[in-house]
């Protein structure tokens, strides 16, 4: 279709079954005689004050469509670095929380998009033709208890409740890393709905808890929440990076810290893929020196972290990449990212044998060269990524460009 989202970074995607919803992000616009780049937070074309959201439908042919909102309805403000969480196929709702607004201020509003508010469309890909309405999903009173405004937090859905952990939050005076955990019951019975809107509950663990952090990896396995790494005041190196791994039992509310060793990844902005045999598989990320990492690790809830030293060719160090786990094939696919420049290669790790195979890239071991835009994606980092059915899709991200600058001393041009 001819209508496409504008280029953006730090948008968020959530799979809803047959479609995926993307919201938020920012773009860079050049203005003024000095051609300065300005960060512009993206709002909807219909109402620029509301966050820009799009449906991506892969079948029968891939297409983008603007999220259609009821006339005059309200919605979350334009933002980036927010979280989108899908409640599952029974409730079929998407929950948006937090993020950074235009002007740099964090936000703590919670919004719910109910996909079952209207009769299910037929065929399923007709979701983009329907009109929806955002609803606030937390208390509305000015004095009601709620988390501080934040970004860089973790968000998961468990038994119909939204859990928010950590992030960089503002108390009205300064922005700092947090160690708090909050719960908001999204799914309500008819009696609970008559009693009023759900309220935020600060979860007080029955044990020690992780240090304050943001931009950490977090994943849900059964009834246990795992988190690792991130950035915080107790971190190491120039980037204040953390190396610890924690597990929270969501029934007993007890945290457990895994023992640290030389086999622990020290990174933030880390992509971890949950799996069955090993609870997590991770590659790359941002190290304590501020540089990208090229290390590979697996995580098991019993043994903890194990550093994997694959034989043969392997991808270069990187952060801001896409990592996709295929349970059936027991593989992890890594694409894009950046180190000293952005990347466009694609590598597949066969997890049982710990061997990498390069599918697209400029290395001599690669099967093929990357397709040249517009026949393939450009070199990029930090794109939005989501899996719908058998396909994984990426959109947007950061693209680096070199600009020729004249050198008055020599008359030559340098990059």
């Amino acid at each position: 279709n001819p209508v496409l989202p504008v280029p953006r970074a730090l948008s968020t995607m959530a799979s809803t079954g047959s479609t995926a919803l993307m919201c938020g992000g920012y773009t860079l616009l050049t203005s003024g005689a000095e051609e300065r780049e300005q960060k512009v937070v993206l709002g909807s074309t219909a109402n620029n004050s509301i966050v820009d959201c799009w449906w991506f439908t892969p079948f029968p042919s891939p297409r983008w469509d603007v999220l259609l909102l009821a006339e005059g309805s309200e919605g979350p403000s334009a933002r980036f670095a927010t979280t989108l969480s899908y409640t599952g196929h029974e409730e079929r709702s998407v929950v948006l929380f937090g993020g950074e607004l235009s002007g740099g201020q964090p936000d703590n509003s919670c919004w719910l998009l109910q996909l079952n508010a209207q009769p299910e469309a037929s065929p399923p890909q007709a979701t983009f033709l329907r009109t929806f309405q955002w609803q606030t999903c937390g208390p509305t009173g000015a004095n009601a208890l709620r988390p501080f405004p934040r970004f860089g937090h973790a968000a998961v859905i468990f038994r119909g409740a939204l859990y928010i952990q950590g992030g960089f939050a503002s108390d009205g005076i300064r922005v700092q890393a947090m160690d708090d955990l909050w719960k908001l019951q999204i799914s309500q019975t008819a009696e609970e709905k008559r009693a009023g809107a759900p309220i935020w509950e600060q979860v007080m663990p029955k044990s020690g808890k992780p240090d304050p952090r943001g931009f950490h990896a977090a994943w849900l396995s059964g009834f246990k929440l795992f988190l690792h790494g991130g950035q915080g005041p107790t971190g190491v190196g120039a980037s204040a990076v953390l190396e610890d791994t924690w597990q929270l039992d969501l029934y007993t509310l007890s945290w457990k810290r895994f023992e640290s060793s030389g086999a622990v990844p020290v990174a933030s902005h880390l992509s971890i893929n949950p799996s069955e045999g090993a609870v997590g598989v991770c590659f790359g990320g941002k190290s304590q020196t501020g540089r990208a990492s090229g290390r590979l690790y697996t995580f098991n809830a019993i043994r903890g972290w194990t550093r994997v030293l694959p034989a043969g060719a392997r991808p270069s160090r990187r952060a801001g990449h896409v990592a996709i786990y295929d349970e059936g094939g027991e593989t992890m696919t890594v694409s894009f990212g950046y180190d000293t420049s952005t990347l466009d290669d694609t590598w597949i790790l066969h997890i049982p044998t710990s061997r990498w195979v390069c599918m697209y890239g400029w290395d001599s071991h690669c099967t093929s060269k990357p397709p040249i835009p517009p026949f393939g994606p450009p070199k990029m980092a930090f794109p939005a990524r989501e899996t719908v059915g058998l396909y994984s899709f990426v959109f947007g991200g950061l693209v680096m460009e070199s600009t020729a600058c004249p050198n008055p001393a020599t008359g030559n041009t340098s990059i």
Side-chain angles (χ1 to χ4, degrees):
N1 56 323
V3 181
L4 298 172
V6 300
R8 67 191 64 200
L10 288 182
S11 56
T12 307
M13 295 184 78
S15 174
T16 62
S18 60
T19 59
L21 182 67
M22 178 193 70
C23 288
Y26 72 85
T27 189
L28 295 175
L29 296 181
T30 303
S31 62
E34 299 180 358
E35 296 188 347
R36 293 182 176 178
E37 287 188 332
Q38 178 183 6
K39 181 187 294 185
V40 177
V41 182
L42 294 167
S44 169
T45 53
N47 184 344
N48 195 55
S49 64
I50 296 180
V51 66
D52 188 38
C53 293
W54 292 72
W55 292 112
F56 180 76
T57 309
F59 310 109
S61 59
R63 60 180 294 151
W64 285 102
D65 293 275
V66 175
L67 171 67
L68 299 176
L69 298 177
E71 185 177 355
S73 64
E74 298 181 348
S77 304
R79 67 193 63 206
F80 63 92
T82 184
T83 53
L84 285 178
S85 306
Y86 182 53
T87 58
H89 296 307
E90 292 186 7
E91 293 289 333
R92 297 201 73 240
S93 298
V94 176
V95 185
L96 180 150
F97 176 81
E100 188 171 331
L101 307 180
S102 179
Q105 62 266 50
D107 179 75
N108 64 347
S109 61
C110 177
W111 293 84
L112 181 73
L113 194 72
Q114 291 185 330
L115 307 187
N116 281 339
Q118 298 180 5
E120 181 66 28
S122 180
Q125 61 264 27
T127 299
F128 59 82
L129 297 175
R130 299 161 59 194
T131 300
F132 296 90
Q133 187 168 347
W134 286 103
Q135 304 173 20
T136 57
C137 53
T140 56
N143 297 322
L145 184 68
R146 53 173 58 88
F148 283 134
R150 67 190 62 206
F151 58 90
H153 54 280
V156 297
I157 297 285
F158 177 69
R159 296 181 64 86
L162 173 69
Y163 287 83
I164 298 296
Q165 198 282 328
F168 286 91
S170 170
D171 59 4
I173 301 176
R174 59 178 180 170
V175 175
Q176 60 184 344
M178 303 295 292
D179 61 1
D180 51 351
L181 177 67
W182 293 78
K183 172 185 176 182
L184 181 69
Q185 189 66 42
I186 300 297
S187 302
Q188 291 182 291
T189 64
E191 183 177 347
E192 289 172 335
K193 291 180 180 179
R194 287 193 294 270
I199 60 173
W200 281 103
E201 172 189 353
Q202 185 169 4
V203 180
M204 307 304 293
K206 299 177 182 178
S207 61
K209 59 183 179 179
D211 289 340
R213 70 193 64 211
F215 298 111
H216 46 298
W219 68 99
L220 191 65
S221 179
F223 56 89
K224 294 180 179 179
L225 170 66
F226 294 85
L227 64 84
H228 175 78
Q231 292 176 294
T234 59
V236 298
S239 298
V241 175
L242 295 153
E243 64 176 6
D244 50 345
T245 304
W246 292 76
Q247 167 193 291
L248 174 68
D249 187 312
L250 291 171
Y251 286 118
T252 65
L253 300 180
S254 295
W255 283 103
K256 170 189 173 183
R257 178 174 178 169
F258 289 86
E259 293 297 324
S260 297
S261 69
V264 175
V266 184
S268 65
H269 298 77
L270 183 65
S271 180
I272 292 181
N273 282 254
S275 65
E276 292 297 325
V279 175
V281 182
C282 76
F283 171 76
K286 190 176 180 181
S287 70
Q288 67 267 40
T289 63
R291 284 205 63 189
S293 168
R295 294 186 174 185
L296 174 69
Y297 298 88
T298 60
F299 176 81
N300 183 281
I302 298 175
R303 298 187 299 272
W305 288 100
T306 301
R307 184 177 177 188
V308 181
L309 300 173
R314 65 193 70 180
S316 61
R317 64 178 68 210
R318 67 193 64 201
H321 53 286
V322 170
I324 303 166
Y325 175 71
D326 177 11
E327 180 179 342
E330 294 186 283
T331 61
M332 180 174 71
T333 301
V334 168
S335 298
F336 313 115
Y338 83 97
D339 182 11
T340 55
S341 62
T342 47
L343 303 165
D344 61 354
D345 52 348
T346 297
W347 293 74
I348 298 178
L349 172 72
H350 186 238
I351 296 172
T353 61
S354 301
R355 298 189 73 92
W356 288 99
V357 175
C358 180
M359 297 301 296
Y360 298 102
W362 304 102
D363 190 278
S364 60
H365 299 90
C366 298
T367 304
S368 303
K369 303 298 183 187
I372 303 299
F375 302 103
K379 296 181 179 182
M380 60 182 174
F382 297 105
R385 191 274 294 180
E386 191 53 69
T387 298
V388 181
L390 298 176
Y391 296 88
S392 290
F393 301 91
V394 296
F395 177 79
L398 296 175
V399 177
M400 297 182 182
E401 296 181 353
S402 298
T403 302
C405 302
N407 188 331
T410 63
N412 297 325
T413 299
S414 60
I415 302 296

Coordinates of all heavy atoms in Angstrom, one line a residue, residues 211-212 230-237 239-243 288:
D211 N 19.4 -4.0 42.4 CA 19.8 -2.6 42.5 C 19.0 -1.8 41.5 O 18.5 -2.3 40.5 CB 21.3 -2.4 42.3 CG 22.1 -2.9 43.5 OD1 21.5 -3.0 44.6 OD2 23.3 -3.2 43.3
P212 N 18.9 -0.5 41.6 CA 18.2 0.3 40.6 C 18.9 0.2 39.3 O 20.1 0.1 39.2 CB 18.3 1.8 41.2 CG 18.5 1.6 42.7 CD 19.3 0.3 42.8
G230 N 21.7 -4.0 32.5 CA 21.1 -2.7 32.5 C 22.2 -1.6 32.9 O 23.4 -1.9 33.1
Q231 N 21.7 -0.4 33.1 CA 22.5 0.6 33.6 C 22.0 1.2 34.9 O 20.8 1.4 35.0 CB 22.6 1.8 32.5 CG 23.3 1.4 31.3 CD 23.3 2.4 30.2 OE1 22.2 2.8 29.7 NE2 24.4 3.0 29.9
G232 N 22.9 1.5 35.8 CA 22.5 2.0 37.1 C 23.6 2.6 37.9 O 24.8 2.4 37.5
P233 N 23.4 3.2 39.1 CA 24.4 3.9 39.8 C 25.5 2.9 40.4 O 26.6 3.3 40.7 CB 23.6 4.6 41.0 CG 22.3 3.9 41.0 CD 22.0 3.4 39.6
T234 N 25.1 1.6 40.6 CA 26.1 0.7 41.1 C 26.8 -0.1 40.0 O 27.5 -1.0 40.2 CB 25.4 -0.3 42.0 OG1 24.4 -1.0 41.3 CG2 24.8 0.3 43.2
G235 N 26.6 0.3 38.7 CA 27.2 -0.3 37.6 C 28.7 0.0 37.5 O 29.2 0.8 38.2
V236 N 29.4 -0.7 36.5 CA 30.8 -0.5 36.4 C 31.1 0.2 35.0 O 30.3 0.1 34.1 CB 31.6 -1.8 36.5 CG1 31.4 -2.4 37.8 CG2 31.1 -2.8 35.4
G237 N 32.3 0.8 34.9 CA 32.8 1.3 33.7 C 32.1 2.7 33.3 O 31.3 3.2 34.1
S239 N 29.9 3.3 31.2 CA 28.5 3.3 31.0 C 27.7 2.8 32.2 O 26.5 2.6 32.1 CB 28.2 2.4 29.8 OG 28.9 2.8 28.6
A240 N 28.3 2.6 33.3 CA 27.6 2.2 34.6 C 26.8 1.0 34.3 O 25.6 0.9 34.6 CB 26.8 3.4 35.1
V241 N 27.4 -0.1 33.7 CA 26.7 -1.3 33.3 C 26.7 -2.3 34.4 O 27.7 -2.5 35.1 CB 27.3 -1.9 32.0 CG1 26.7 -3.2 31.7 CG2 27.2 -0.9 30.9
L242 N 25.5 -3.0 34.6 CA 25.4 -4.0 35.6 C 25.5 -5.4 35.0 O 25.3 -5.6 33.9 CB 24.0 -3.9 36.3 CG 23.8 -2.5 37.1 CD1 22.4 -2.2 37.1 CD2 24.4 -2.7 38.5
E243 N 25.9 -6.4 35.9 CA 26.2 -7.7 35.4 C 25.3 -8.8 36.1 O 25.5 -10.0 35.9 CB 27.7 -8.1 35.6 CG 28.1 -8.1 37.0 CD 29.5 -8.5 37.2 OE1 30.2 -8.7 36.2 OE2 30.0 -8.7 38.4
Q288 N 30.7 -2.4 29.6 CA 31.0 -1.4 30.6 C 31.9 -0.3 30.0 O 31.9 0.8 30.6 CB 31.6 -2.0 31.8 CG 33.0 -2.6 31.6 CD 32.9 -4.1 31.3 OE1 32.1 -4.5 30.5 NE2 33.8 -4.8 31.9

